[in-house]
Amino acid sequence: MPNERADRARRITVRQPGPLLVEGPVEVELEDGTTVSSDRFLVALCTCRRSRRYPWCDTSHRRKTRDSG
């Protein structure tokens, strides 16, 4: 997948609160330089960093948090 020329632009859909939905397949470079990939037609990328499968969304953003006040 690296260095492949895209036939068309990738669509990324932003959902608040929630993941970024990216038309796949995708390759994601993480902060530490490792690369993960998915060949699914639609990939949900975690934006809340609560996912146990980061960078993939596992719907952890849906969990309610307690108010500290």
Side-chain angles (χ1 to χ4, degrees), residues 1-67:
M1 194 178 317
N3 299 322
E4 283 184 12
R5 187 165 177 237
D7 292 341
R8 60 185 176 83
R10 295 279 182 210
R11 179 178 302 265
I12 299 173
T13 306
V14 179
R15 303 276 186 218
Q16 293 296 330
L20 292 176
L21 301 177
V22 183
E23 290 183 1
V26 299
E27 187 173 86
V28 179
E29 184 176 331
L30 302 176
E31 294 170 313
D32 65 2
T34 59
T35 303
V36 294
S37 60
S38 174
D39 59 356
R40 296 178 61 122
F41 69 92
L42 186 65
V43 178
L45 296 176
C46 177
T47 58
C48 70
R49 298 188 74 89
R50 293 180 191 166
S51 176
R52 290 184 178 145
R53 300 183 59 228
Y54 187 83
W56 317 122
C57 178
D58 66 1
T59 68
S60 294
H61 60 274
R62 293 181 185 169
R63 288 189 219 127
K64 298 190 183 217
T65 57
R66 295 172 76 169
D67 290 1

